[in-house]
Amino acid sequence: MRIPIILVGALGIASCSGFIDSRAADSTYKLVIASDKKARTQADVMLAREAMPGGVTQLAGFTAAYPEHAGFRALYADAICGFALGFIYDDWDAATLAGRGADADAAALRLHALIPECIDENLARLVPARRLLPPAALAPEATVDEVPALTWIAQAEAVQLALDPLVHLAELPGIVALLERCAALAPGANDGAAELVLATIAGSRPTFAGGDGGEVAFARARKAAGDGVLIVDVLAARTGAVTRKDRAAFAMLLRGVLDVEPTRWPERRLANELARLKARRYLAAIDTLIPAP
């Protein structure tokens, strides 16, 4: 998952100069790309989280000022989705697990506002004829160039399903179809994002409904993502091991994540630190998630 941290001060200087032309926009775009790359090496999750809103706001401004600049639009779509599905959803997850109902409700309220924006910004990256189609209808004619946008759309729809299962359950087949199409067109793209969401869905399917705890799907996601994507084992524990009520596997997966030295993959440091934060949270809640027999 991409979680860009934008250089707010640098962008502010450019925007206050009174001279922003296409060359300045292209120069600033290169600066933002460099900032995004550097941000992925950030070790402090809280610093990243606190920096994110300002960056999102700056990108919204540049997208509005340069509506034809596909690069800014793509970065803004990445940023709004990364903020919502990375940080705010994590707030909801933490509050829900801890039984802090008011905090969970507040995070859910924010997500209900941010998720449609995430979806709309990614629909805007498609050709006009496809922007009005519902997500479920996008899969059959999807192209490899659309994979980044369609993966975000499917992830956003999956989070809506997690927040309100009864309301969005009918959308599940369309979400799965869209993710499967993305995984087929661009295997392993964005650290195996499509494969990982498919595995999480499979891992959440109860055994009485024919589920296997997502073991096959998580093996596929692990292979697609490649080395160093720690969130795969975190979600394998949180969904598959919990569904199977397998305390030993749950603990083994999460301790394995915490035993890994995160500096081994500097380009994934921020995403892996967020994964480790989740691993610690889930381990602390093992008796809640999988009560001892």
Side-chain angles (χ1 to χ4, degrees), residues 23-291:
R23 290 172 298 173
D26 288 340
S27 296
T28 302
Y29 176 71
K30 292 177 183 178
L31 176 63
V32 175
I33 291 294
S35 173
D36 180 20
K37 184 176 180 179
K38 180 64 177 175
R40 298 183 207 185
T41 70
Q42 175 59 247
D44 189 326
V45 174
M46 187 56 68
L47 174 62
R49 193 194 190 291
E50 291 171 349
M52 191 84 180
V56 171
T57 300
Q58 289 280 3
L59 281 174
F62 276 90
T63 302
Y66 293 95
E68 302 305 317
H69 196 295
F72 278 128
R73 179 165 295 282
L75 282 176
Y76 177 59
D78 284 350
I80 194 68
C81 292
F83 181 60
L85 308 186
F87 291 121
I88 306 303
Y89 182 69
D90 190 64
D91 291 344
W92 176 83
D93 178 60
T96 300
L97 190 57
R100 302 194 314 270
D103 290 341
D105 289 345
L109 191 63
R110 294 192 72 186
L111 285 167
H112 286 310
L114 289 169
I115 286 174
E117 187 172 357
C118 166
I119 293 172
D120 288 346
E121 287 300 323
N122 280 289
L123 285 171
R125 297 166 70 177
L126 309 181
V127 298
R130 287 172 56 74
R131 293 174 188 172
L132 298 179
L133 294 175
L138 292 169
E141 302 300 324
T143 66
V144 69
D145 291 338
E146 293 179 337
V147 166
L150 296 182
T151 302
W152 275 129
I153 290 169
Q155 287 179 273
E157 294 268 339
V159 168
Q160 286 190 139
L161 175 60
L163 292 173
D164 298 301
L166 295 180
V167 174
H168 296 284
L169 185 58
E171 297 162 19
L172 180 57
I175 295 170
V176 170
L178 196 52
L179 290 167
E180 288 178 340
R181 178 67 171 162
C182 289
L185 287 169
N190 196 14
D191 289 344
E195 291 90 344
L196 180 55
V197 182
L198 283 168
T200 303
I201 292 170
S204 301
R205 186 177 298 123
T207 53
F208 67 78
D212 66 347
E215 290 185 283
V216 173
F218 274 109
R220 188 179 303 119
R222 227 173 258 113
K223 181 178 180 181
D227 291 337
V229 183
L230 300 184
I231 193 64
V232 177
D233 282 347
V234 173
L235 294 180
R238 179 63 182 88
T239 58
V242 170
T243 297
R244 299 191 309 272
K245 297 180 171 53
D246 189 338
R247 284 173 63 98
F250 179 87
M252 180 190 70
L253 286 164
L254 296 179
R255 287 178 182 141
V257 167
L258 296 175
D259 286 343
V260 169
E261 175 50 60
T263 58
R264 287 177 58 187
W265 301 281
E267 73 282 1
R268 294 192 176 112
R269 184 69 186 272
L270 176 57
N272 281 343
E273 291 293 354
L274 184 58
R276 286 160 58 83
L277 183 152
K278 288 176 177 287
R280 287 190 288 272
R281 178 192 306 150
Y282 296 150
L283 264 179
I286 186 171
D287 290 330
T288 300
L289 292 167
I290 312 176

